Amino acid sequence: MLSEVVTEAYNMLDMDLKPIEEKDRDKDLVIVIADQILNSNHAPTKTAFGRCKALIEKMGKKVLLINTAESLSYEGAIPFYDAKKAVYFEELRDCDSLEWEGVSIPFFQYEQNMPNLINIKGLLLFIQKNRPAYIISVGGSSLVANLANKMIPVISLSLCFSDIDITLTDYQIVGRNLTQEDRDILQEVNYEENQIITSQFTFGLKEQSKHYTKSQLGIPEEQFVISIIGARLDDEMTEPFLNQLEKIVEQGYFVVFMGLYETYDKKMEGYPLMKKHSIYLGFCSDVLAILENCDIYLNPYRKGGGSSCVEAMYMGKPVISIDFGDVSTNVGDDFLVKDYDEMFDLLAHYKEDILFYEKQSEKARKRAELLLDETGSFEEAVIEFERREREKNRE
């Protein structure tokens, strides 16, 4: 359990991490902790950048963004076949600030050797000395953030916003209202409902810088183009979903896969029609430029995809999503289906009924506007955190 890991680490550090009272903290300083920072194509990185920008521009805070590099390092790893290691950008070690949409964000990055007790202790001593008003943890599982919470209130920002995180931090921002199932889980792990702050999860998009024609991308001109985007398509493109695609692609559809789908060529050997009517573009530096040439965003049964569906809606592309996971949380009821049969029936409706398509396209744009209000809902969540802290301190 997380609590056991945090307790063992605390005992090994041999530190006295006493709570620092609000009056003794720097009310203008906020530390933002992320366990992985990459580039503007990486959704959690964009989330971290966007929250830093809001804190600096909207709330007038001094901000330090720290990449603890805790995400899937090989430190202490148990060797097993095909073990995964998180991507790490060594060149960011030389950066003391990062630019995002015209804002300079002070930045520090650790080596990819975490969890490292020397580094963790050094960071906790830094926090102890500088006494920020509070800490934002991008994701809830950071060992550093959960230890720092012993001194400073930490607000975990759930990245899987269709779920709640298992965390020990004082507060957690969740991108939807709680269900009874959520409340049961919270009770089981002794986490109070008052520690959850519900807020619309919002996004920042990388600005479109390119324009392509369909022929440049290898997309046929006259077909209805389906976009499917994800960093885990090898696992998410399941047999039931691919079987349905294989049945319909000859009816005037073309499928564009973007992201990471290393088994695409091998998988397509079993789906000859889709091999003929699809293309895999890999990771794209300008996703909006590709989506400009697509007609619709299709989302299978999976947890992720929450950022790319917003990009699609921003471009006026309707979404069809199974009612599960991050995409379903973002797109709202107008774009949800209960199963694959309903999904592919609705896909045909979009293709054949131009008026219906245009109406849904406009709904998609309006939904994207709401989801792209990056500062508003986050600021409201922080204000709600401050209110709860004041109430707690008066007790």
Side-chain angles (χ1 to χ4, degrees):
M1 290 180 64
L2 178 62
S3 59
E4 294 172 347
V5 173
V6 173
T7 299
E8 184 172 349
Y10 180 49
N11 292 335
M12 293 173 69
L13 287 167
D14 191 26
M15 294 180 68
D16 187 10
L17 301 179
K18 292 180 179 178
I20 301 173
E21 292 186 23
E22 182 182 12
K23 64 182 179 62
D24 296 323
R25 303 199 299 265
D26 183 347
K27 63 182 179 60
D28 296 320
L29 175 63
V30 178
I31 291 177
V32 178
I33 289 175
D35 63 10
Q36 185 182 40
I37 292 290
L38 300 179
N39 57 27
S40 57
N41 292 322
H42 181 238
T45 295
K46 288 189 287 188
T47 295
F49 287 170
R51 301 317 180 263
C52 288
K53 180 185 177 185
L55 288 163
I56 294 168
E57 279 195 338
K58 191 85 172 181
M59 291 173 252
K61 301 295 185 182
K62 299 178 293 184
V63 170
L64 174 62
L65 172 61
I66 299 175
N67 177 15
T68 60
E70 294 172 84
S71 178
L72 285 179
S73 80
Y74 277 165
E75 191 72 14
I78 299 172
F80 61 90
Y81 175 73
D82 199 27
K84 303 297 184 185
K85 184 179 183 182
V87 176
Y88 178 84
F89 286 0
E90 182 67 43
E91 60 270 24
L92 295 182
R93 290 270 292 140
D94 298 324
C95 298
D96 57 15
S97 67
L98 298 174
E99 296 291 322
W100 177 251
E101 295 183 347
V103 175
S104 179
I105 304 169
F107 176 74
F108 181 81
Q109 174 167 293
Y110 279 92
E111 296 178 64
Q112 199 182 22
N113 62 359
M114 294 287 247
N116 179 298
L117 288 178
I118 294 174
N119 287 344
I120 292 173
K121 188 169 188 175
L123 178 49
L124 293 172
L125 288 170
F126 175 85
I127 292 169
Q128 202 171 51
K129 178 182 177 181
N130 288 273
R131 302 180 173 219
Y134 50 88
I135 295 169
I136 304 289
S137 176
V138 182
S141 60
S142 164
L143 178 58
V144 171
N146 280 281
L147 286 165
N149 191 78
K150 294 179 178 293
M151 301 181 289
I152 304 287
V154 176
I155 312 167
S156 292
L157 185 64
S158 178
L159 287 174
C160 186
F161 31 88
S162 60
D163 264 347
I164 55 175
D165 280 334
I166 302 302
T167 182
L168 305 180
T169 61
D170 282 348
Y171 297 93
Q172 179 180 164
I173 298 175
V174 176
R176 58 170 177 76
N177 293 327
L178 296 181
T179 65
Q180 186 55 52
E181 183 181 357
D182 296 329
R183 294 184 176 93
D184 293 342
I185 293 171
L186 292 174
Q187 186 174 12
E188 188 175 330
V189 297
N190 296 317
Y191 202 84
E192 299 292 332
E193 188 172 338
N194 192 50
Q195 295 176 260
I196 300 288
I197 300 171
T198 57
S199 171
Q200 176 64 62
F201 196 97
T202 55
F203 300 81
L205 299 185
K206 183 182 178 183
E207 187 176 347
Q208 183 177 352
S209 60
K210 300 174 183 177
H211 293 277
Y212 300 107
T213 65
K214 286 186 175 180
S215 61
Q216 285 175 318
L217 296 171
I219 299 173
E221 291 290 342
E222 302 302 323
Q223 292 190 305
F224 193 84
V225 182
I226 299 165
S227 62
I228 298 174
I229 307 174
R232 294 174 289 275
L233 295 180
D234 293 306
D235 297 321
E236 293 167 347
M237 293 299 98
T238 60
E239 188 173 316
F241 183 67
L242 292 175
N243 285 342
Q244 292 272 30
L245 277 177
E246 178 75 356
K247 290 178 184 177
I248 62 98
V249 285
E250 273 200 317
Q251 300 168 22
Y253 297 98
F254 189 83
V255 185
V256 174
F257 294 100
M258 283 181 273
L260 186 60
Y261 196 0
E262 293 179 332
T263 58
Y264 169 79
D265 288 328
K266 184 176 180 180
K267 283 270 186 79
M268 290 306 106
E269 291 174 5
Y271 299 94
L273 294 178
M274 195 167 13
K275 182 177 181 180
K276 180 181 176 183
H277 296 282
S278 70
I279 191 170
Y280 168 48
L281 298 178
F283 276 108
C284 303
S285 61
D286 194 335
V287 174
L288 299 184
I290 310 298
L291 285 168
E292 191 173 32
N293 291 278
C294 299
D295 295 299
I296 204 159
Y297 178 103
L298 215 58
N299 187 65
Y301 188 91
R302 60 173 177 170
K303 283 276 191 182
S307 179
S308 57
C309 75
V310 179
E311 292 170 318
M313 291 190 294
Y314 173 75
M315 297 300 291
K317 311 303 176 179
V319 173
I320 307 179
S321 174
I322 295 292
D323 188 5
F324 175 83
D326 291 352
V327 172
S328 68
T329 300
N330 282 343
V331 300
D333 293 341
D334 288 325
F335 301 99
L336 298 181
V337 294
K338 67 179 184 298
D339 56 33
Y340 287 150
D341 287 337
E342 186 179 349
M343 171 181 282
F344 286 92
D345 286 344
L346 184 57
L347 179 65
H349 188 30
Y350 272 109
K351 180 174 175 289
E352 301 301 331
D353 189 337
I354 186 64
L355 292 179
F356 174 70
Y357 182 94
E358 289 175 350
K359 184 177 77 171
Q360 293 295 95
S361 175
E362 183 59 28
K363 285 183 180 180
R365 291 185 192 277
K366 288 180 178 179
R367 182 70 180 175
E369 286 179 15
L370 173 66
L371 295 170
L372 292 172
D373 180 15
E374 205 167 9
T375 58
S377 58
F378 177 66
E379 183 182 17
E380 289 172 5
V382 172
I383 290 171
E384 176 61 18
F385 149 74
E386 292 172 343
R387 184 192 67 78
R388 295 187 193 184
E389 274 291 284
R390 286 193 299 271
E391 279 190 1
K392 187 169 69 173
N393 292 332
R394 283 198 296 266
E395 292 175 356

